[in-house]
Each structure stands twice: as structure tokens, then as C-alpha cells.
């Protein structure tokens, strides 16, 4: 074996051993998805070994140095790929405190491939200088034909250096139509995922020429605006207070900065437009949150007897029902509801009529709190339709269905509300103010004794429900207490220490 052959086989053996050790290192330190990338260098090493064996035994049946060139290129490509995987994916870069985006990794990988390929060709006897000079003309031709692609690459590098957004950010171009979450940034384009479940690919060159709005930078806070209209004769401060009270317990609206309701414009149809401005941190749910804000505003204005104006697009002639007919219908429905409420079963026909005339009809949106724990109460709520859940200290202790009632303890005793009652779906209730009960009790003082007995029974029922809910919420603690009690009884019965 001449010295040239010995040197060739020596470097092949060293290269294969280096590649094998590097692959073993990557398999032990890199995550599972990175190990899939070892297939390409493994195939390259296999080609290099096969070409080396062919050069040793079949060189006389092939053109000179064919197998050596093939083995050198295969081994060089394997080592180039493994070096990038070992540096970025196997933890070396992380230990050095270095990070690189995908586009930079792709460029580094390309440079490494080119460098090792040129070294392999030079080692195999190819004149690299002549090759580079010859390829300069082809490079110019390719550059002219692929100027858009090269522009996207340069724009991608600029985006990576400036980092106006990252994967996971929500962006929108200046056309105001394409807004979505960034799912990938590569050397050619940026992919975003819209709320319509559509994947949009935007070339980096277009991004470099556009004004980009990033909703999640420099922080995840994003201000949203919802518009509503109210009649001109309703004072703006009343509308503002009603809306703010309705949206304050929406969990996805930030309390700091607080939401505001601004008087936005005076319209020609005798209405005022209000802008509800609030901040959110989950920009992907902005449309769902805006819909919830509109729902809460509608229900709150409906309860406050603020009639939302209709658009004046035509003329409709109709004969509205007289106020007397509407009031009579309301009183009749209220009397029927009072007869189904156990708490008010003791009222006479005339007393039910008095209570029915003083009732108000209110509607609540799903998830909205009808009453809140700790607040003062001056009205009794009777469920006409829907279901509510009862929460004490944030723990749900039960549900109530129509025609049940609540709020009687705070109404009769003057104590603060003992629980928060929240609508499960849309809820319709009728309320009776304390003034009505004051008139009934003064007219018939015996009602106080009857009410006290019913209140005591309902209070005991709710106490048992609360204890059961707390025991269900912490079953392990309840089981430990029961076990301790039984253990004490066993020791006492059998005289154990």
C-alpha cells in the first residue's frame, strides 16, 4: 500500500469514527425529534463506507478516483450535518449561552455544507480555485433569476436581527385584513394562522415593505373597543355606570388598566354612540370576548330600562299596546309566578296582587352575577326562567331552578348577601323591593312570624348544602377526620393506649 492510499484510508477511518461518536452523543443528549434528523448523516456515512470498500476491491472496474471522491463527499456531508446538530440541538450552544433562529441555523448549515464539500473536493484532487472562478458566471445568472427569492432571504435576515415579532405573537399587516398568530419564521416567508383556521404564508419581502402591527409586543396587553348606542335623553353617566357594572366581572378583561366607557359621537338619529374600551391578554379570543361584552351591555341596558335604538331604514306603521294593557299582562304573569313560590304561599290574593304590582322583570346574560356575596341587598329575586348556581367563597354549593327564589335573608334581616348567585344560561327573574314587603308586613304583622319560620328552614337547608359541598371539595380531609374519630372510638372500646 503506497503512502497516498494509507493516508486516504486513515482519514476515512478517523472520519467514520468521529461521525459514529457524534451520532452517539446526539442520541443521548438531544430530544426525540432531533434524533430523526440523524437519518441523513447515517446514510452519508454508509455511502462513504461503501465507496471506501468499493475503492479497495473494485477500483479497477471504475474511473480513477470515483469511489474516493464519492466517499469523501459523503463523509464531509455527514460531518457537516452532525456538527450543526451537535452544536445547536445537543446542548453545546445552550451551555455556551448562545441561541439561533431557524433561518440562521439554515444559513450556517449551508455554509458548513459548502465548506466541507470544497475541502473534500480539494482533498480528492479537484482544483477548487478553477471551480470557483467557473461558477462565478453561474452565480451571477442565478442571482438575476432568483432576485425575488434572494430578496426574501435578505428580508428574513433583517426580520431575525430586528425581531419585531416572534413565533406565538399576533400580527397584522397594514391592509387590515390578514391578522393571525405567527407559527413559523423561515428563510423565505412567515406563516400565520388566522381565527378562520386558515394558514397564510407571507413572503419576507412583502413583510419588509409593509407596516406590521404586533398586538402582543411589548406586552401581551391589547386594547379592544366595542361600540353601543343609547337614546339621547338617557344621561351618559347612567349608561356608563350600567355598562361598567355589567362587564367588571368578565374574567378575561383586565382590571388594570380598568375598562372605560367613552362618549364617542352624537348621531343624527337622536342617539349617542359609546365606545367600551378594555384590555385583554389573550388576543386569540378577542372576538369571543367582544361578543360577551356586547351581550352583557345589552342585558344591563335592558334591566336599566334603556331601550336600544333601532336603525332608521324605513317606516313601519303599527299600533302599540297601551301601557295599561302591558301593566295588566305583567301583573297577571307575576301573580301566577307568586303562587308557585313556597316562600310566598302564605300571601292572600290581595297581598299577591300588591306584590305583583311592585315586581320588576329583569334578564341576565349567561355567566353574569345577579347578586354578589358581601353586598347589601334590598330585593327578593324570583326565578321565572333559567338556572342559577350559588357560590360561597368561590365554591359552588348548589343550583336553583325556576320558580325558586333567593335574596330573602338580606331582604328580611338587613345582612349582606351571604352568597354570589350567577346565571348558568340566560335567566329571567322578577324582583320585589323591600318597600313592598314593608307595606305587606305593616298591613299584616302576622306575616313576619310565618316568614321567619320559612327563612329558618331555608337557612338550615343551605347550611347543609354548604357543608356537603365543602366536604366534596376536600374529600381527603373529610376522610381523615372520619378516620380519626373512628380510631378514637376503637381505642376507647378496646381499651387501647
Amino acid at each position: 500500500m503506497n503512502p497516498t492510499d494509507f493516508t486516504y484510508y486513515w482519514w476515512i477511518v478517523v472520519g467514520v469514527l468521529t461521525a459514529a461518536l457524534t451520532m452517539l452523543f446526539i442520541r443521548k443528549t438531544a430530544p426525540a425529534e432531533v434524533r430523526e434528523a440523524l437519518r441523513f448523516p447515517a446514510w452519508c456515512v454508509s455511502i462513504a463506507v461503501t465507496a471506501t470498500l468499493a475503492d479497495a476491491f473494485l477500483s479497477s472496474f471504475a474511473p480513477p478516483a470515483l469511489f474516493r471522491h464519492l466517499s469523501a463527499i459523503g463523509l464531509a456531508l455527514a460531518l457537516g450535518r452532525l456538527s450543526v446538530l451537535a452544536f445547536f440541538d445537543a446542548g453545546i450552544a445552550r451551555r455556551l449561552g448562545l441561541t439561533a433562529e431557524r433561518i440562521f441555523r439554515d444559513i450556517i448549515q449551508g455554509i458548513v455544507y459548502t465548506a466541507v464539500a470544497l475541502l473534500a473536493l480539494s482533498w480528492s484532487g479537484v482544483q477548487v480555485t478553477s471551480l470557483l472562478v467557473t461558477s462565478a458566471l453561474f452565480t451571477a445568472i442565478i442571482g438575476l433569476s432568483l432576485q425575488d427569492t434572494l430578496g426574501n432571504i435578505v428580508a428574513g435576515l433583517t426580520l431575525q436581527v430586528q425581531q419585531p415579532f416572534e413565533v406565538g405573537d399576533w400580527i397584522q399587516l397594514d391592509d387590515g385584513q390578514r391578522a393571525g398568530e405567527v407559527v413559523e419564521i423561515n428563510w423565505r416567508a412567515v406563516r400565520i394562522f388566522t381565527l378562520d383556521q386558515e394558514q397564510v404564508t407571507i413572503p419576507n419581502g412583502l413583510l419588509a415593505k409593509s407596516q406590521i402591527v404586533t398586538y402582543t409586543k411589548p406586552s401581551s396587553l391589547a386594547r379592544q373597543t366595542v361600540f353601543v348606542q343609547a337614546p339621547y335623553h338617557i344621561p351618559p353617566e347612567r349608561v356608563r355606570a350600567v355598562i361598567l357594572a355589567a362587564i367588571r366581572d368578565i374574567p378575561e378583561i383586565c382590571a388594570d388598566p380598568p375598562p372605560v366607557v367613552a362618549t364617542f359621537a352624537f348621531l343624527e338619529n337622536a342617539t349617542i354612540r359609546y365606545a367600551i374600551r378594555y384590555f385583554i391578554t389573550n388576543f386569540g379570543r378577542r372576538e369571543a370576548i367582544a361578543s360577551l361584552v356586547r351581550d352583557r351591555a345589552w342585558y344591563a341596558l335592558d334591566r336599566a330600562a334603556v331601550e336600544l335604538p333601532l336603525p332608521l331604514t324605513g317606516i313601519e306603521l303599527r299600533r302599540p299596546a297601551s301601557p295599561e294593557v302591558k301593566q295588566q299582562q305583567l301583573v297577571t304573569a307575576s301573580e301566577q309566578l307568586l303562587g308557585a313560590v313556597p316562600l310566598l304561599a302564605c300571601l292572600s290574593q290581595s297581598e299577591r296582587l300588591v306584590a305583583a304590582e311592585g315586581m320588576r322583570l329583569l334578564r341576565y346574560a349567561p355567566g353574569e352575577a345577579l347578586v354578589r356575596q358581601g353586598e347589601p341587598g334590598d330585593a327578593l329575586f324570583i326565578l321565572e326562567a333559567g338556572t342559577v348556581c350559588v357560590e360561597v367563597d368561590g365554591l359552588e354549593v348548589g343550583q336553583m331552578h325556576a320558580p325558586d327564589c333567593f335574596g330573602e335573608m338580606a331582604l328580611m334581616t338587613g345582612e349582606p348577601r351571604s352568597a354570589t348567585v350567577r346565571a348558568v344560561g340566560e335567566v329571567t327573574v322578577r324582583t320585589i323591593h323591600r318597600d313592598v314587603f314593608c307595606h305587606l308586613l305593616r298591613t299584616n304583622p302576622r306575616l313576619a312570624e310565618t316568614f321567619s319560620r320559612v327563612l329558618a328552614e331555608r337557612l338550615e337547608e343551605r347550611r347543609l348544602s354548604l357543608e356537603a359541598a365543602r366536604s366534596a371539595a376536600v374529600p381527603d380531609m373529610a376522610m381523615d377526620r372520619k378516620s380519626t374519630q373512628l380510631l378514637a372510638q376503637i381505642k376507647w372500646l378496646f381499651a387501647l393506649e
Side-chain angles (χ1 to χ4, degrees), residues 340-419:
V341 178
L343 176 64
L344 305 177
C346 58
L347 297 180
S348 64
Q349 184 66 29
S350 59
E351 291 170 339
R352 289 181 186 177
L353 179 60
V354 172
E357 291 176 347
M359 294 177 71
R360 290 184 57 202
L361 176 65
L362 304 178
R363 288 178 285 191
Y364 289 84
E368 193 172 4
L370 284 72
V371 299
R372 294 180 176 85
Q373 184 176 356
E375 292 184 349
D378 58 359
L380 173 70
F381 289 75
I382 303 175
L383 281 170
E384 184 178 60
T387 302
V388 296
C389 65
V390 182
E391 302 173 358
V392 177
D393 299 329
L395 177 66
E396 183 176 340
V397 299
Q399 292 187 345
M400 290 188 292
H401 312 275
D404 206 343
C405 64
F406 58 91
E408 67 280 2
M409 294 300 299
L411 173 69
M412 295 295 184
T413 64
E415 298 177 355
R417 301 286 188 188
S418 59

Side-chain angles (χ1 to χ4, degrees), residues 232-429:
Y232 187 84
H233 66 276
I234 304 295
E237 189 60 32
R238 178 184 172 190
V239 175
R240 185 176 296 109
V242 168
I243 295 176
L244 288 178
I247 68 174
R248 68 177 181 177
D249 61 343
I250 298 179
E252 293 177 295
I253 293 182
C254 299
D256 186 21
V260 297
V261 177
T263 304
F264 189 77
F266 295 94
L267 305 181
E268 296 180 355
N269 58 345
T271 60
I272 302 176
R273 176 173 294 173
Y274 297 90
I276 308 174
R277 297 192 172 101
Y278 55 92
F279 287 85
I280 61 175
T281 56
N282 188 354
F283 191 78
R285 281 187 44 80
R286 66 186 184 279
E287 292 186 0
I289 299 173
S291 175
L292 184 58
V293 170
R294 294 187 186 96
D295 292 346
R296 293 289 181 89
W298 187 93
Y299 282 97
L301 294 174
D302 179 72
R303 292 193 300 271
V306 178
E307 184 177 356
L308 297 180
L310 298 175
L312 300 179
T313 57
I315 299 176
E316 179 182 0
L317 299 178
R318 60 181 179 177
R319 178 178 296 176
S322 64
E324 293 77 10
V325 173
K326 289 184 178 180
Q327 181 65 20
Q328 184 59 39
Q329 293 175 349
L330 181 63
V331 171
T332 302
S334 300
E335 283 189 278
Q336 295 176 355
L337 181 62
L338 288 173
V341 178
L343 176 64
L344 305 177
C346 58
L347 297 180
S348 64
Q349 184 66 29
S350 59
E351 291 170 339
R352 289 181 186 177
L353 179 60
V354 172
E357 291 176 347
M359 294 177 71
R360 290 184 57 202
L361 176 65
L362 304 178
R363 288 178 285 191
Y364 289 84
E368 193 172 4
L370 284 72
V371 299
R372 294 180 176 85
Q373 184 176 356
E375 292 184 349
D378 58 359
L380 173 70
F381 289 75
I382 303 175
L383 281 170
E384 184 178 60
T387 302
V388 296
C389 65
V390 182
E391 302 173 358
V392 177
D393 299 329
L395 177 66
E396 183 176 340
V397 299
Q399 292 187 345
M400 290 188 292
H401 312 275
D404 206 343
C405 64
F406 58 91
E408 67 280 2
M409 294 300 299
L411 173 69
M412 295 295 184
T413 64
E415 298 177 355
R417 301 286 188 188
S418 59
T420 297
V421 180
R422 194 175 302 276
V424 175
E426 184 184 58
V427 170
T428 302
V429 298

Side-chain angles (χ1 to χ4, degrees), residues 177-216:
Q177 297 178 355
R178 288 172 291 184
E181 182 182 9
V182 179
V183 296
E184 182 183 0
I185 305 174
N186 56 43
W187 59 271
R188 191 190 69 83
V190 171
R191 288 195 300 115
I192 63 175
F193 202 69
T194 67
L195 288 179
D196 296 328
Q197 304 299 304
E198 297 175 343
Q199 179 178 292
V200 181
T201 301
I202 307 174
N204 291 332
L206 179 59
L207 286 173
K209 299 176 183 178
S210 303
Q211 180 180 354
I212 305 172
V213 179
T214 306
Y215 292 100
T216 49

